[in-house]
PDB file of all heavy atoms in Angstrom:
ATOM      1  N   TYR M  26     -26.269  89.243  32.227  1.00 96.00           N
ATOM      2  CA  TYR M  26     -27.370  88.295  32.151  1.00 96.00           C
ATOM      3  C   TYR M  26     -28.339  88.598  31.004  1.00 96.00           C
ATOM      4  O   TYR M  26     -28.917  87.617  30.536  1.00 96.00           O
ATOM      5  CB  TYR M  26     -28.081  88.252  33.582  1.00 96.00           C
ATOM      6  CG  TYR M  26     -27.565  87.276  34.525  1.00 96.00           C
ATOM      7  CD1 TYR M  26     -26.151  87.184  34.706  1.00 96.00           C
ATOM      8  CD2 TYR M  26     -28.354  86.477  35.232  1.00 96.00           C
ATOM      9  CE1 TYR M  26     -25.649  86.239  35.594  1.00 96.00           C
ATOM     10  CE2 TYR M  26     -27.897  85.546  36.128  1.00 96.00           C
ATOM     11  CZ  TYR M  26     -26.566  85.410  36.331  1.00 96.00           C
ATOM     12  OH  TYR M  26     -25.979  84.531  37.251  1.00 96.00           O
ATOM     13  N   ASN M  39     -30.415  93.750  42.438  1.00 98.00           N
ATOM     14  CA  ASN M  39     -31.029  95.044  42.790  1.00 98.00           C
ATOM     15  C   ASN M  39     -32.523  95.075  42.445  1.00 98.00           C
ATOM     16  O   ASN M  39     -33.242  95.648  43.148  1.00 98.00           O
ATOM     17  CB  ASN M  39     -30.272  96.212  42.171  1.00 98.00           C
ATOM     18  CG  ASN M  39     -28.972  96.418  42.784  1.00 98.00           C
ATOM     19  OD1 ASN M  39     -28.729  96.204  43.996  1.00 98.00           O
ATOM     20  ND2 ASN M  39     -28.009  96.945  42.108  1.00 98.00           N
ATOM     21  N   ASP M  64     -24.812  81.046  32.846  1.00 90.00           N
ATOM     22  CA  ASP M  64     -24.043  81.944  31.910  1.00 90.00           C
ATOM     23  C   ASP M  64     -24.820  83.107  31.331  1.00 90.00           C
ATOM     24  O   ASP M  64     -24.589  83.674  30.348  1.00 90.00           O
ATOM     25  CB  ASP M  64     -23.503  81.049  30.731  1.00 90.00           C
ATOM     26  CG  ASP M  64     -22.546  80.003  31.212  1.00 90.00           C
ATOM     27  OD1 ASP M  64     -21.649  80.320  32.030  1.00 90.00           O
ATOM     28  OD2 ASP M  64     -22.692  78.870  30.830  1.00 90.00           O
ATOM     29  N   PRO M  92     -43.779  60.405  44.160  1.00 86.00           N
ATOM     30  CA  PRO M  92     -44.005  58.927  44.304  1.00 86.00           C
ATOM     31  C   PRO M  92     -43.921  58.129  43.008  1.00 86.00           C
ATOM     32  O   PRO M  92     -43.440  57.031  43.076  1.00 86.00           O
ATOM     33  CB  PRO M  92     -45.457  58.971  44.810  1.00 86.00           C
ATOM     34  CG  PRO M  92     -45.752  60.303  45.417  1.00 86.00           C
ATOM     35  CD  PRO M  92     -44.949  61.269  44.603  1.00 86.00           C
ATOM     36  N   ASP M 129     -48.597  71.751  54.509  1.00 97.00           N
ATOM     37  CA  ASP M 129     -49.190  70.592  53.896  1.00 97.00           C
ATOM     38  C   ASP M 129     -49.035  70.758  52.375  1.00 97.00           C
ATOM     39  O   ASP M 129     -49.890  71.317  51.748  1.00 97.00           O
ATOM     40  CB  ASP M 129     -50.646  70.387  54.255  1.00 97.00           C
ATOM     41  CG  ASP M 129     -51.205  69.015  53.870  1.00 97.00           C
ATOM     42  OD1 ASP M 129     -50.583  68.397  52.958  1.00 97.00           O
ATOM     43  OD2 ASP M 129     -52.272  68.661  54.362  1.00 97.00           O
ATOM     44  N   THR M 168     -62.625  86.890  45.236  1.00 98.00           N
ATOM     45  CA  THR M 168     -61.676  87.927  44.834  1.00 98.00           C
ATOM     46  C   THR M 168     -60.549  87.322  44.112  1.00 98.00           C
ATOM     47  O   THR M 168     -59.852  86.419  44.670  1.00 98.00           O
ATOM     48  CB  THR M 168     -61.237  88.731  46.102  1.00 98.00           C
ATOM     49  OG1 THR M 168     -62.269  89.316  46.710  1.00 98.00           O
ATOM     50  CG2 THR M 168     -60.212  89.855  45.641  1.00 98.00           C
ATOM     51  N   SER M 174     -48.361  87.609  32.795  1.00 98.00           N
ATOM     52  CA  SER M 174     -47.581  86.372  32.894  1.00 98.00           C
ATOM     53  C   SER M 174     -46.047  86.646  32.677  1.00 98.00           C
ATOM     54  O   SER M 174     -45.203  85.783  32.980  1.00 98.00           O
ATOM     55  CB  SER M 174     -48.005  85.351  31.871  1.00 98.00           C
ATOM     56  OG  SER M 174     -47.759  85.805  30.583  1.00 98.00           O
ATOM     57  N   LEU M 199     -61.253  73.344  36.223  1.00 98.00           N
ATOM     58  CA  LEU M 199     -61.764  72.990  34.898  1.00 98.00           C
ATOM     59  C   LEU M 199     -63.265  73.432  34.847  1.00 98.00           C
ATOM     60  O   LEU M 199     -63.666  73.922  33.818  1.00 98.00           O
ATOM     61  CB  LEU M 199     -61.709  71.419  34.655  1.00 98.00           C
ATOM     62  CG  LEU M 199     -62.465  70.911  33.458  1.00 98.00           C
ATOM     63  CD1 LEU M 199     -61.963  71.608  32.151  1.00 98.00           C
ATOM     64  CD2 LEU M 199     -62.238  69.404  33.341  1.00 98.00           C
ATOM     65  N   GLU M 282     -44.258 103.222  43.768  1.00 98.00           N
ATOM     66  CA  GLU M 282     -45.425 104.055  43.785  1.00 98.00           C
ATOM     67  C   GLU M 282     -46.690 103.372  44.300  1.00 98.00           C
ATOM     68  O   GLU M 282     -47.420 103.900  45.134  1.00 98.00           O
ATOM     69  CB  GLU M 282     -45.635 104.552  42.335  1.00 98.00           C
ATOM     70  CG  GLU M 282     -46.920 105.439  42.233  1.00 98.00           C
ATOM     71  CD  GLU M 282     -47.208 105.771  40.800  1.00 98.00           C
ATOM     72  OE1 GLU M 282     -46.476 105.451  39.899  1.00 98.00           O
ATOM     73  OE2 GLU M 282     -48.251 106.443  40.547  1.00 98.00           O
ATOM     74  N   PHE M 295     -61.039  81.441  50.075  1.00 98.00           N
ATOM     75  CA  PHE M 295     -62.372  81.144  49.551  1.00 98.00           C
ATOM     76  C   PHE M 295     -62.617  79.638  49.465  1.00 98.00           C
ATOM     77  O   PHE M 295     -61.664  78.790  49.362  1.00 98.00           O
ATOM     78  CB  PHE M 295     -62.543  81.853  48.153  1.00 98.00           C
ATOM     79  CG  PHE M 295     -62.483  83.298  48.218  1.00 98.00           C
ATOM     80  CD1 PHE M 295     -61.378  84.021  48.040  1.00 98.00           C
ATOM     81  CD2 PHE M 295     -63.664  84.026  48.567  1.00 98.00           C
ATOM     82  CE1 PHE M 295     -61.284  85.368  48.169  1.00 98.00           C
ATOM     83  CE2 PHE M 295     -63.641  85.425  48.640  1.00 98.00           C
ATOM     84  CZ  PHE M 295     -62.490  86.094  48.473  1.00 98.00           C
ATOM     85  N   PRO M 299     -68.704  75.652  45.716  1.00 97.00           N
ATOM     86  CA  PRO M 299     -69.612  75.970  44.561  1.00 97.00           C
ATOM     87  C   PRO M 299     -68.974  75.472  43.202  1.00 97.00           C
ATOM     88  O   PRO M 299     -69.712  74.937  42.377  1.00 97.00           O
ATOM     89  CB  PRO M 299     -69.675  77.520  44.559  1.00 97.00           C
ATOM     90  CG  PRO M 299     -69.432  77.876  45.942  1.00 97.00           C
ATOM     91  CD  PRO M 299     -68.357  76.930  46.454  1.00 97.00           C
TER      92      PRO M 299
END
Side-chain angles (χ1 to χ4, degrees):
Y26 268 44
N39 287 331
D64 297 313
D129 189 343
T168 301
S174 67
L199 173 56
E282 177 185 357
F295 295 94

